[in-house]
Amino acid sequence: MRIEVRFFAGLRERLGVAEREVSVPDDTSIRQLWSLVVPEEPLPDNVLAARNMEYVDLSSIPCDGDEIAFFPPVTGGAG
Amino acid sequence: MRIEVRFFAGLRERLGVAEREVSVPDDTSIRQLWSLVVPEEPLPDNVLAARNMEYVDLSSIPCDGDEIAFFPPVTGGAG
Amino acid sequence: MTVRILDAGFDPWALLSDYQRAGAPPEGAYGATAVFVGTMRDFNEDQNVQSLFLEHYPGMTEAWLEKISVAATERWNLLDSLIVHRVGELHPGEPIVLVAVWSAHRKAAFEASRFLMEELKSKAPLWKKEQREDGARWVEHNTPG
Amino acid sequence: MTVRILDAGFDPWALLSDYQRAGAPPEGAYGATAVFVGTMRDFNEDQNVQSLFLEHYPGMTEAWLEKISVAATERWNLLDSLIVHRVGELHPGEPIVLVAVWSAHRKAAFEASRFLMEELKSKAPLWKKEQREDGARWVEHNTPG
């Protein structure tokens, strides 16, 4: 299946990639997806993931055509 | 001693008096002051009193020249 | 720390804009601003209210609002506070009260603004008289927040 | 119920004034408006911050803010809500976030505005990079409110 993978903020900068379309075996979990896309880097402990712009568990399995985003803890707002 | 007595809001309207300077015996408490100024009307249960613009207990005793105000429960603000 | 009693209508947002532009509180120092605006509704306890008359105790009302501002400033280490309250005749949709506080962090701002409104409603010497279809009457007590 | 992501500076008070003047929420229906504005401070954890870059996830950020707006509206029976968040480069004194809610009574407004800020800070996909004297660094986590 084909997955659109996106990275944000510090993760995007460190990995040097904002988005990449990849082809992975069916039944690839989001955790496994990371290892396939960024084999040189272990999955950070505090990483967050979203599937089609909704928070998702790392153990869940995306569908063909999904957009999967990885990002660090959020730091929006103020005060 | 001379006391400036003031009434506000519903109390002012009902009694038909906003302020009145009275002369009362020394050691007159605020509760007794009411009876001297408004003998025809019992002191309302929920009445509040202020001495020189600060909340005060009805049992306290004012000094010569004090301003004593009586008013109903407050209803300011909104929401 | 500012307290104002106004006998004419006011726009809370224009007032806040002017207040901040005048440099109080100092820019860059505060991270959190919490504002509450209480507005006259056109109903109360399921009855239509056509207008409202607000009476105050000149001198004591300001003193009470200053007293609670000092208490909030000390308790939450506020950088600034502003309380504005209308008196006189009001109509539905008009702002009655504005409370604003500025602090470094949001927890203080949220808690202090709520504290000020509760202290204002429970003890500031202000009284409302409602004009309804069936006549005028003094509001007897405030509802708890 | 409105959510806006802005990539240029905004005046929270002018924005609120325009929003209310445009008739949302309906005048006379609401008695309580609670507003929170988060502003960029010139310090964080005792270090000077010269500027800030705010990144978001276009689409997901808006979706999350709409989701929490719906949750707050249902839970507190709000009459309206408005969330505005800056992205891009900011300097000290500039507003970062505005949250405003309108309700019949103040309890709902106080609670809902605080809820929205906590939900926004803990889960809205937004990230800050601080430019300090000693270089730039991504902020690692938000402090609890």
Side-chain angles (χ1 to χ4, degrees), chain D residues 79-117:
Chain D
L79 294 161
D80 202 7
S81 70
L82 170 65
I83 302 180
V84 179
H85 206 291
R86 263 301 298 281
V87 294
E89 193 179 339
L90 285 98
H91 295 93
E94 283 193 74
I96 298 174
V97 60
L98 162 67
V99 164
V101 299
W102 289 264
S103 59
H105 298 287
R106 70 190 183 283
K107 185 170 189 286
F110 279 123
E111 292 180 1
S113 63
R114 195 165 183 179
F115 166 86
L116 287 174
M117 272 307 297

Side-chain angles (χ1 to χ4, degrees), chain C residues 40 49 59 75 112:
Chain C
M40 187 188 161
V49 181
R75 182 162 163 192

Side-chain angles (χ1 to χ4, degrees), chain C residues 2 4 12 36 48 51 53 63 74-75 77 99 106 116 120:
Chain C
T2 303
R4 286 188 208 155
F36 180 86
N48 275 2
S51 69
F53 176 77
E74 289 175 356
R75 182 162 163 192
N77 200 19
V99 164
R106 70 189 183 283
L116 286 174
L120 185 157

Side-chain angles (χ1 to χ4, degrees), chain C residues 46-118:
Chain C
D46 298 326
Q47 284 209 50
N48 275 2
V49 181
Q50 296 163 328
S51 69
L52 207 58
F53 176 77
L54 257 154
E55 180 169 329
H56 77 305
Y57 183 171
M60 182 173 173
T61 310
E62 293 87 337
W64 178 260
L65 298 179
E66 280 159 16
K67 184 191 178 94
I68 63 179
S69 298
V70 169
T73 298
E74 289 175 356
R75 182 162 163 192
W76 285 282
N77 200 19
L78 301 180
L79 294 162
D80 203 6
S81 69
L82 171 65
I83 303 181
V84 180
H85 205 291
R86 265 298 302 277
V87 293
E89 193 179 339
L90 286 98
H91 295 92
E94 283 194 74
I96 297 174
V97 60
L98 162 66
V99 164
V101 298
W102 288 264
S103 60
H105 297 286
R106 70 189 183 283
K107 185 171 189 285
F110 278 123
E111 292 181 1
S113 63
R114 194 165 184 179
F115 166 85
L116 286 174
M117 272 306 298
E118 299 312 317

Side-chain angles (χ1 to χ4, degrees), chain A residues 74-79, chain C residues 31-32 106, chain D residues 5 36-41 44 52-56 61 65 83-87 90 94-99 116-128 130 139 141-143:
Chain A
V74 304
T75 56
Chain C
R106 70 189 183 283
Chain D
I5 301 294
F36 179 85
V37 179
T39 305
M40 187 188 162
R41 283 177 292 138
N44 190 19
L52 207 57
F53 176 77
L54 258 153
E55 179 169 330
H56 77 307
T61 310
L65 297 178
I83 302 180
V84 179
H85 206 291
R86 263 301 298 281
V87 294
L90 285 98
E94 283 193 74
I96 298 174
V97 60
L98 162 67
V99 164
L116 287 174
M117 272 307 297
E118 299 313 317
E119 291 294 300
L120 184 156
K121 287 204 78 157
S122 65
K123 295 198 84 178
L126 288 151
W127 303 273
K128 282 196 195 85
E130 291 179 349
V139 178
H141 51 77
N142 267 336
T143 48

Side-chain angles (χ1 to χ4, degrees), chain D residues 1-84:
Chain D
M1 213 189 72
T2 303
V3 165
R4 286 187 208 158
I5 301 294
L6 299 179
D7 60 7
F10 71 101
D11 175 339
W13 317 124
L15 200 152
L16 281 162
S17 186
D18 292 346
Y19 190 76
Q20 283 198 177
R21 202 162 4 214
E27 199 169 84
Y30 61 92
T33 309
V35 175
F36 179 85
V37 179
T39 305
M40 187 188 162
R41 283 177 292 138
D42 51 17
F43 60 93
N44 190 19
E45 291 166 13
D46 297 327
Q47 283 208 49
N48 274 5
V49 182
Q50 296 162 330
S51 70
L52 207 57
F53 176 77
L54 258 153
E55 179 169 330
H56 77 307
Y57 183 171
M60 182 172 172
T61 310
E62 294 87 337
W64 178 261
L65 297 178
E66 280 159 16
K67 183 191 176 93
I68 63 179
S69 298
V70 169
T73 299
E74 289 175 356
R75 181 161 162 193
W76 284 283
N77 200 18
L78 301 180
L79 294 161
D80 202 7
S81 70
L82 170 65
I83 302 180
V84 179

